[in-house]
Amino acid sequence: MILTLLSIHLTANAATHPNLVINQQDVAAMQQAITEPGAFRHAFEVKLKQVDIGLSQPIEVPLPQDSGGGYTHEKHKSNYQQMYDTGIIYQLTGEKKYAEYVKNMLLQYAALYPELPVHPKRKNSNAGKLFWQGLNEAVWLVHTIQAYDFIYSALTPAERNTIETGAIIPVALFLSEQSPHTFNKVHNHGTWATAAVGMTGYVLNKPLWVERALYDLDLAKNGGFMRQLDELFSPDGYYNEGPYYQRYALMPFVTFAKAIEQNEPQRKIFEYRDGILLNAINTTVSLSYNKLLFPLNDAIKSKGIDTVELVNGAAIAYGLNGDPRLLDIAKQQNTILLTGDGLKVAQGLDKQQQQPFAFNSGLYRDGKRGDEGALVVMRNGKPTDQTLVYKATAQGLGHGHFDKLTWQFYDQGNEIVSDYGAARFLNIEAKSGGGYLPENTSWAKQTIAHNTLVVDETSHFNGKVKQANEHHPTIHFYEQQQNLTLASASIDSAYDDVAFKRTFALINIPQREAVITVDILKVTASQPHQYDLPVHYQGQLIDTNFDREASLTQLSTLGSANGYQHLWLLATANLAQDNPNDTLARVTWLNDNGRFYSHSTLVSTNGKHQQMLFTQLGANDPNMNLRQQPAFIYRVEASNHTFVSVLEPHGEYNPAKEFTLGATSNIAALTHHQQAELSAVHIRFTDGEQYLLAINHSEQALTEQPRSVININGVQYPFNGRAQLLGPLNTDSFD
Amino acid sequence: MILTLLSIHLTANAATHPNLVINQQDVAAMQQAITEPGAFRHAFEVKLKQVDIGLSQPIEVPLPQDSGGGYTHEKHKSNYQQMYDTGIIYQLTGEKKYAEYVKNMLLQYAALYPELPVHPKRKNSNAGKLFWQGLNEAVWLVHTIQAYDFIYSALTPAERNTIETGAIIPVALFLSEQSPHTFNKVHNHGTWATAAVGMTGYVLNKPLWVERALYDLDLAKNGGFMRQLDELFSPDGYYNEGPYYQRYALMPFVTFAKAIEQNEPQRKIFEYRDGILLNAINTTVSLSYNKLLFPLNDAIKSKGIDTVELVNGAAIAYGLNGDPRLLDIAKQQNTILLTGDGLKVAQGLDKQQQQPFAFNSGLYRDGKRGDEGALVVMRNGKPTDQTLVYKATAQGLGHGHFDKLTWQFYDQGNEIVSDYGAARFLNIEAKSGGGYLPENTSWAKQTIAHNTLVVDETSHFNGKVKQANEHHPTIHFYEQQQNLTLASASIDSAYDDVAFKRTFALINIPQREAVITVDILKVTASQPHQYDLPVHYQGQLIDTNFDREASLTQLSTLGSANGYQHLWLLATANLAQDNPNDTLARVTWLNDNGRFYSHSTLVSTNGKHQQMLFTQLGANDPNMNLRQQPAFIYRVEASNHTFVSVLEPHGEYNPAKEFTLGATSNIAALTHHQQAELSAVHIRFTDGEQYLLAINHSEQALTEQPRSVININGVQYPFNGRAQLLGPLNTDSFD
């Protein structure tokens, strides 16, 4: 190890302060900017006022006692934020009182920290001392080391020594040498720890700490920041836990990377792995709808692109590449950072240089090599256009949900077919101490909480994380055309006997001003099973085209385990088994956005027992932790079955202006055809117009030449490439 | 009758057109305005584009067939709107094609109407021919007569004859002579009918029709517009059905009044009854929160101050009085009318002359003489400040709810303690044809659907409208001070054996940055009864300070009738009967606005059986018509009981910024004291600070001099006038 150390380039430059996210040039530019009107000076004035209020109050560094949301927890959080803010105000104004305040708080931490045992409320293996979780301790140091860097030059050597030996070094050692498991872990907790320790290494001129942060405690490259960059993001910048944790994880990634760039530009950290960090920032922003991140896996649904992590990410990215579309995001974030990059953003916005950030369809591959499934997003460019999210990703470790091949749908600003997200009230003490609720495991993670297939009332992989982490879906194709986006994926490992393949198409029919979703879910098994396909809809049920038998005076749970124990069964419909022709089971609801949505599913004629169940969440919930959301579940008893469904937004309910238009579905009939690798969904609208969505499921790459011909009722329909929407068809017949 | 006719001033002036809401001077001013940039020209351009699209499509006047929301219903509605819009564009541009289009549509109506039977889907005694309800027919004529007036000068005498004899005269006769019951009715249906017929009288130079509209068919003044002005509004401009119908009713009132003002200014219609119409417009706007009208009685909750009726009302009022606070409302409405008054509004907004409309506390007396109860609004001036609505009004006829002395509470833009409003999906055919749902009667009107006392699971007045219309609450006092607003009312007729008196106070404690509501509900009876006091809260339950026994796997209804059959019983708590001291039963919830709310109720020590029941709406609802709202119900078995409760907004839940503050209530204890006419609520906060709300309930008027002294635990507390908040108290003891 000693040999290794000697071979390190000792490039950390302790002579200039500050030199982490903000350097001396940045400070000079910012000092100039606050003398001129504009967004930056405004942000400075607001922050100055806040900081001055802080200065008027006594410093309090309490003995750690409370868990998340509790007093001491929140106080230590606000302390590091206040040290950071006050430090930057010192840099911008040069007024000693600000440095003095930060120094005094740091001295209190230096007096407190050495005596602290591990936190009394610690809950998991990664305990902290100031906080119940070591994670919070790392966040504390990421902020505090920057604050210390800001006031470094204002301190005497003796003061520095007291603060470093009392607080900063012990915290850094606690996070690294004394917590090797977390520090070396390729996981966001590891990223916070390595960022904290690495940045401390730069400020304290301890190059070993930087190297350990980059390459793990033993410099063995089994963990550390570089390994995290290699493994935690896919080549498309997708983070395996999903956008909610991606946003959170971004903060230490971009912060530490920026510090590396300032101190050791020769590492070209932002170019690493084809610019994986900028890619990840862009991907996180893209994985949002109407400013909110897609709630995949454990995700609190109110998190959006305006969170502080993405404000940082967008600013740092803009500082590097000057992409004017990032200014569009910055404008929506409505927060200007007091950093060099924040200044560039402010100047760009002052000059109104922003260009619309395009929310386009895309395939975001999962897995460090991009071969572990993918997240597919189908959308039309504007932030509130119809958006279909098709989740064919890998499990996403401990925060993953058992929801292979699930989907979500958004329209006109709202969730239409939704995902529950996480069952958690962040930092509310009365709700399981602000952590994940028991219902996160018993409901939110279970398959039935999502819009995908549940076999025999058991969750995918039997709800076992270890097993789930070993498997992922196979992506068959992703195809994007002018008015048609498709993707197909399958998985045969979620259940022992059952494989399923799901193909989604988002179809724009401009001449009808219609955007519809086609969903083909083909299930195969050797034995008969019970298949449940839920749709968690957002809105008020308006109508169904079949009779429902409602439970009027008593409710019971739908099942007893795997999430089913949380569902009240409101109504049941037995769908006809012996129709002469296939029919549609249609459910229409009204969303708060004032639009109607009809979900039409093919009811097949093959004598299978088919039901539609209407449920509401909330059973077995003694603490009323769950939201009372509705769903309908299509249930089929079969061994092989293909679910074919269409979701159609239509009409408008406008009680303010007293009109209602198009409250009923425009889809009259569907049929589904399968001929070897070819399949087709035939759609007839109520006005008689007919369309055919023809798809070639071949595993080969396909050219754009006509090469497939599907035969329907004796008529040959040739089509191009992977898929085509044919129509309006020139035919009077409907099979 | 002939004699009466001869004595009428024949002042209707048929020589000038247009001369209803818009006169020739208005037209000249508007023609000038559209040559200059500004809000008015913008509104004109938008409307012109719309009208031009209409012109490019074939005219369709279908045979009436559908009820509300159906195709022919909506078509005839859009036709009258289109005739009106196209007519005004003709006036502004002078282009013949617009007049031609209106003429052609009118000719089609003239061909259709004479042959029409009553509408096939008619539902009530007031049937129409073009529409299922005569009400819609009257609205059709109010618009159509204005459109006809716009193009009158462009028609030949023969065309006028065809249109008048084929469509306009028959509709007017159908609405008047042939529907005498509705025409003479002192009710909003009567207002639409009289407005339609009266305005037609001006255009067709039929002064008798104007007189009939003003004074009823027999000119006997038992009905008609003037009688409606006398009786439908209270002296404070409150409409007895509540703001939802007030908004709707305003349209024909202000439209017809404006036409009267233009044609017969000597009638001084806007000065009538101390300016009752302007008063009513102002009151309607005032009875709103965050742009939405208070949902009292049958009310669809999405109706707000931006509805077309209030756009008209605000514009006409501004045209008369130039009040710059009406421009604030007009700005929020964001709609400029193409009328003379609309032009004045546009010019005022162009010059940014608006001043904030003050949303102040107020007492709105009910009843034509102002002696039938009142609506009390307690608020602090800004549209989204805390607002308490205390409903101590009369029943409000057929659309009234059985909710004597109920309340609602709003904060930070949202409903906190809410009223269900109406059970209705306006114009959605699948939902009972778009009319009121069965659940409007079985749930929404029942007492348990509101936040007021229910005795023995029966509704006020046993749910009988006739009986309810004969009674109203008594207002004891309404008092407004700097940081304290109070009101007290009672009713002894809602139940045979039970009388109840309720006193609300909205208290602002600036030094604590707290705004709390105190609610004292005193119930007296000769026999024991079951008293239920529900709180319909909006949000997610966070915590209670008592144990709840939840129904985990089975739910049953709370009761079997009077609305109770719609409630699922989620959980029950038996509150201690034998505490040594009074305690508080506290329920805390989190609203979507990110703030916590704690409702604390005194649990008395007198051995009464006391429970808290947690319910959710949705039982006995086969068509899923109801929203799944939660409530908690405080249940007491007693003959006399005083409910004392405090509602306290606190803290902030901000998951986007990852902090939670003040999630727990700050109120530690309450006691209630009653000494003859004096009462006091003693409040102790968790930090030890104590306050005393002292009230003198005397029926006499009270001066501001100290004159009352209440004795609490041997300490004398003198206070001034009606009520005073004393504190922080200089005492260590809490009784």
Side-chain angles (χ1 to χ4, degrees), chain A residues 479-481 701-707 719-724:
Chain A
E479 166 89 1
Q480 197 192 342
Q481 304 172 13
L702 296 169
T703 69
E704 280 304 308
Q705 296 309 306
R707 56 174 300 278
F719 67 97
N720 296 340
R722 177 61 71 192
Q724 202 177 344

PDB file of all heavy atoms in Angstrom, chain A residues 479-481 701-707 719-724:
ATOM      1  N   GLU A 479     -38.985   0.985 -31.787  1.00  0.00           N
ATOM      2  CA  GLU A 479     -39.111   1.541 -33.130  1.00  0.00           C
ATOM      3  C   GLU A 479     -39.802   2.891 -33.016  1.00  0.00           C
ATOM      4  O   GLU A 479     -40.841   3.017 -32.372  1.00  0.00           O
ATOM      5  CB  GLU A 479     -39.984   0.575 -33.953  1.00  0.00           C
ATOM      6  CG  GLU A 479     -40.513   1.114 -35.251  1.00  0.00           C
ATOM      7  CD  GLU A 479     -39.555   0.866 -36.411  1.00  0.00           C
ATOM      8  OE1 GLU A 479     -38.482   0.242 -36.161  1.00  0.00           O
ATOM      9  OE2 GLU A 479     -39.860   1.270 -37.530  1.00  0.00           O
ATOM     10  N   GLN A 480     -39.215   3.874 -33.684  1.00  0.00           N
ATOM     11  CA  GLN A 480     -39.843   5.192 -33.641  1.00  0.00           C
ATOM     12  C   GLN A 480     -40.049   5.731 -35.037  1.00  0.00           C
ATOM     13  O   GLN A 480     -39.092   5.853 -35.813  1.00  0.00           O
ATOM     14  CB  GLN A 480     -38.969   6.146 -32.827  1.00  0.00           C
ATOM     15  CG  GLN A 480     -39.723   7.380 -32.387  1.00  0.00           C
ATOM     16  CD  GLN A 480     -38.810   8.452 -31.841  1.00  0.00           C
ATOM     17  OE1 GLN A 480     -37.676   8.157 -31.493  1.00  0.00           O
ATOM     18  NE2 GLN A 480     -39.304   9.667 -31.796  1.00  0.00           N
ATOM     19  N   GLN A 481     -41.287   6.001 -35.386  1.00  0.00           N
ATOM     20  CA  GLN A 481     -41.608   6.592 -36.681  1.00  0.00           C
ATOM     21  C   GLN A 481     -42.330   7.911 -36.439  1.00  0.00           C
ATOM     22  O   GLN A 481     -42.583   8.293 -35.300  1.00  0.00           O
ATOM     23  CB  GLN A 481     -42.514   5.648 -37.490  1.00  0.00           C
ATOM     24  CG  GLN A 481     -41.924   4.256 -37.695  1.00  0.00           C
ATOM     25  CD  GLN A 481     -42.933   3.312 -38.329  1.00  0.00           C
ATOM     26  OE1 GLN A 481     -43.975   3.733 -38.823  1.00  0.00           O
ATOM     27  NE2 GLN A 481     -42.625   2.025 -38.288  1.00  0.00           N
ATOM     28  N   ALA A 701     -33.143  -7.671 -37.604  1.00  0.00           N
ATOM     29  CA  ALA A 701     -33.299  -6.270 -37.980  1.00  0.00           C
ATOM     30  C   ALA A 701     -34.134  -6.226 -39.261  1.00  0.00           C
ATOM     31  O   ALA A 701     -34.038  -7.111 -40.107  1.00  0.00           O
ATOM     32  CB  ALA A 701     -31.938  -5.637 -38.217  1.00  0.00           C
ATOM     33  N   LEU A 702     -34.962  -5.203 -39.390  1.00  0.00           N
ATOM     34  CA  LEU A 702     -35.867  -5.147 -40.544  1.00  0.00           C
ATOM     35  C   LEU A 702     -35.613  -3.883 -41.341  1.00  0.00           C
ATOM     36  O   LEU A 702     -35.361  -2.820 -40.775  1.00  0.00           O
ATOM     37  CB  LEU A 702     -37.312  -5.158 -40.065  1.00  0.00           C
ATOM     38  CG  LEU A 702     -37.718  -6.450 -39.331  1.00  0.00           C
ATOM     39  CD1 LEU A 702     -39.057  -6.263 -38.662  1.00  0.00           C
ATOM     40  CD2 LEU A 702     -37.752  -7.609 -40.302  1.00  0.00           C
ATOM     41  N   THR A 703     -35.703  -3.985 -42.641  1.00  0.00           N
ATOM     42  CA  THR A 703     -35.511  -2.802 -43.475  1.00  0.00           C
ATOM     43  C   THR A 703     -36.834  -2.065 -43.614  1.00  0.00           C
ATOM     44  O   THR A 703     -37.876  -2.545 -43.179  1.00  0.00           O
ATOM     45  CB  THR A 703     -35.036  -3.197 -44.878  1.00  0.00           C
ATOM     46  OG1 THR A 703     -36.142  -3.849 -45.523  1.00  0.00           O
ATOM     47  CG2 THR A 703     -33.852  -4.127 -44.814  1.00  0.00           C
ATOM     48  N   GLU A 704     -36.759  -0.920 -44.234  1.00  0.00           N
ATOM     49  CA  GLU A 704     -37.969  -0.126 -44.451  1.00  0.00           C
ATOM     50  C   GLU A 704     -38.726  -0.576 -45.697  1.00  0.00           C
ATOM     51  O   GLU A 704     -39.779  -0.047 -46.021  1.00  0.00           O
ATOM     52  CB  GLU A 704     -37.615   1.364 -44.572  1.00  0.00           C
ATOM     53  CG  GLU A 704     -37.390   2.013 -43.214  1.00  0.00           C
ATOM     54  CD  GLU A 704     -38.583   1.833 -42.287  1.00  0.00           C
ATOM     55  OE1 GLU A 704     -39.711   2.151 -42.683  1.00  0.00           O
ATOM     56  OE2 GLU A 704     -38.368   1.352 -41.154  1.00  0.00           O
ATOM     57  N   GLN A 705     -38.206  -1.533 -46.419  1.00  0.00           N
ATOM     58  CA  GLN A 705     -38.882  -2.020 -47.631  1.00  0.00           C
ATOM     59  C   GLN A 705     -40.108  -2.827 -47.250  1.00  0.00           C
ATOM     60  O   GLN A 705     -40.119  -3.481 -46.217  1.00  0.00           O
ATOM     61  CB  GLN A 705     -37.938  -2.926 -48.449  1.00  0.00           C
ATOM     62  CG  GLN A 705     -36.730  -2.203 -48.966  1.00  0.00           C
ATOM     63  CD  GLN A 705     -37.112  -0.934 -49.702  1.00  0.00           C
ATOM     64  OE1 GLN A 705     -37.921  -0.981 -50.619  1.00  0.00           O
ATOM     65  NE2 GLN A 705     -36.556   0.189 -49.294  1.00  0.00           N
ATOM     66  N   PRO A 706     -41.127  -2.829 -48.155  1.00  0.00           N
ATOM     67  CA  PRO A 706     -42.254  -3.720 -47.904  1.00  0.00           C
ATOM     68  C   PRO A 706     -41.735  -5.144 -47.949  1.00  0.00           C
ATOM     69  O   PRO A 706     -41.069  -5.539 -48.891  1.00  0.00           O
ATOM     70  CB  PRO A 706     -43.210  -3.466 -49.079  1.00  0.00           C
ATOM     71  CG  PRO A 706     -42.754  -2.206 -49.704  1.00  0.00           C
ATOM     72  CD  PRO A 706     -41.294  -2.063 -49.397  1.00  0.00           C
ATOM     73  N   ARG A 707     -41.989  -5.846 -46.912  1.00  0.00           N
ATOM     74  CA  ARG A 707     -41.554  -7.229 -46.948  1.00  0.00           C
ATOM     75  C   ARG A 707     -42.499  -8.167 -46.199  1.00  0.00           C
ATOM     76  O   ARG A 707     -42.373  -9.365 -46.283  1.00  0.00           O
ATOM     77  CB  ARG A 707     -40.129  -7.397 -46.431  1.00  0.00           C
ATOM     78  CG  ARG A 707     -39.886  -6.861 -45.037  1.00  0.00           C
ATOM     79  CD  ARG A 707     -38.487  -7.194 -44.552  1.00  0.00           C
ATOM     80  NE  ARG A 707     -38.271  -8.631 -44.502  1.00  0.00           N
ATOM     81  CZ  ARG A 707     -38.658  -9.409 -43.494  1.00  0.00           C
ATOM     82  NH1 ARG A 707     -39.293  -8.908 -42.468  1.00  0.00           N
ATOM     83  NH2 ARG A 707     -38.403 -10.701 -43.512  1.00  0.00           N
ATOM     84  N   PHE A 719     -47.042  -4.516 -45.550  1.00  0.00           N
ATOM     85  CA  PHE A 719     -46.570  -3.359 -44.776  1.00  0.00           C
ATOM     86  C   PHE A 719     -45.051  -3.361 -44.682  1.00  0.00           C
ATOM     87  O   PHE A 719     -44.389  -4.345 -44.966  1.00  0.00           O
ATOM     88  CB  PHE A 719     -47.232  -3.317 -43.391  1.00  0.00           C
ATOM     89  CG  PHE A 719     -46.860  -4.438 -42.455  1.00  0.00           C
ATOM     90  CD1 PHE A 719     -45.859  -4.281 -41.493  1.00  0.00           C
ATOM     91  CD2 PHE A 719     -47.516  -5.668 -42.532  1.00  0.00           C
ATOM     92  CE1 PHE A 719     -45.529  -5.305 -40.622  1.00  0.00           C
ATOM     93  CE2 PHE A 719     -47.182  -6.709 -41.661  1.00  0.00           C
ATOM     94  CZ  PHE A 719     -46.185  -6.523 -40.711  1.00  0.00           C
ATOM     95  N   ASN A 720     -44.557  -2.194 -44.273  1.00  0.00           N
ATOM     96  CA  ASN A 720     -43.117  -1.921 -44.298  1.00  0.00           C
ATOM     97  C   ASN A 720     -42.465  -2.185 -42.957  1.00  0.00           C
ATOM     98  O   ASN A 720     -43.045  -1.892 -41.914  1.00  0.00           O
ATOM     99  CB  ASN A 720     -42.873  -0.437 -44.589  1.00  0.00           C
ATOM    100  CG  ASN A 720     -43.367  -0.055 -45.954  1.00  0.00           C
ATOM    101  OD1 ASN A 720     -43.551  -0.914 -46.826  1.00  0.00           O
ATOM    102  ND2 ASN A 720     -43.585   1.240 -46.144  1.00  0.00           N
ATOM    103  N   GLY A 721     -41.257  -2.667 -43.011  1.00  0.00           N
ATOM    104  CA  GLY A 721     -40.376  -2.653 -41.852  1.00  0.00           C
ATOM    105  C   GLY A 721     -40.987  -3.299 -40.617  1.00  0.00           C
ATOM    106  O   GLY A 721     -41.696  -4.288 -40.686  1.00  0.00           O
ATOM    107  N   ARG A 722     -40.695  -2.716 -39.465  1.00  0.00           N
ATOM    108  CA  ARG A 722     -41.099  -3.283 -38.188  1.00  0.00           C
ATOM    109  C   ARG A 722     -42.606  -3.220 -37.974  1.00  0.00           C
ATOM    110  O   ARG A 722     -43.223  -4.160 -37.457  1.00  0.00           O
ATOM    111  CB  ARG A 722     -40.370  -2.519 -37.063  1.00  0.00           C
ATOM    112  CG  ARG A 722     -40.722  -2.922 -35.676  1.00  0.00           C
ATOM    113  CD  ARG A 722     -40.421  -4.371 -35.356  1.00  0.00           C
ATOM    114  NE  ARG A 722     -38.996  -4.664 -35.249  1.00  0.00           N
ATOM    115  CZ  ARG A 722     -38.490  -5.905 -35.206  1.00  0.00           C
ATOM    116  NH1 ARG A 722     -39.294  -6.968 -35.294  1.00  0.00           N
ATOM    117  NH2 ARG A 722     -37.188  -6.099 -35.113  1.00  0.00           N
ATOM    118  N   ALA A 723     -43.193  -2.101 -38.362  1.00  0.00           N
ATOM    119  CA  ALA A 723     -44.622  -1.936 -38.102  1.00  0.00           C
ATOM    120  C   ALA A 723     -45.171  -0.785 -38.920  1.00  0.00           C
ATOM    121  O   ALA A 723     -44.421   0.121 -39.323  1.00  0.00           O
ATOM    122  CB  ALA A 723     -44.856  -1.664 -36.618  1.00  0.00           C
ATOM    123  N   GLN A 724     -46.455  -0.832 -39.134  1.00  0.00           N
ATOM    124  CA  GLN A 724     -47.089   0.264 -39.867  1.00  0.00           C
ATOM    125  C   GLN A 724     -48.551   0.368 -39.458  1.00  0.00           C
ATOM    126  O   GLN A 724     -49.210  -0.643 -39.181  1.00  0.00           O
ATOM    127  CB  GLN A 724     -46.969   0.010 -41.376  1.00  0.00           C
ATOM    128  CG  GLN A 724     -47.106   1.286 -42.191  1.00  0.00           C
ATOM    129  CD  GLN A 724     -46.924   1.049 -43.680  1.00  0.00           C
ATOM    130  OE1 GLN A 724     -46.410   0.003 -44.103  1.00  0.00           O
ATOM    131  NE2 GLN A 724     -47.355   2.011 -44.481  1.00  0.00           N
TER     132      GLN A 724
END
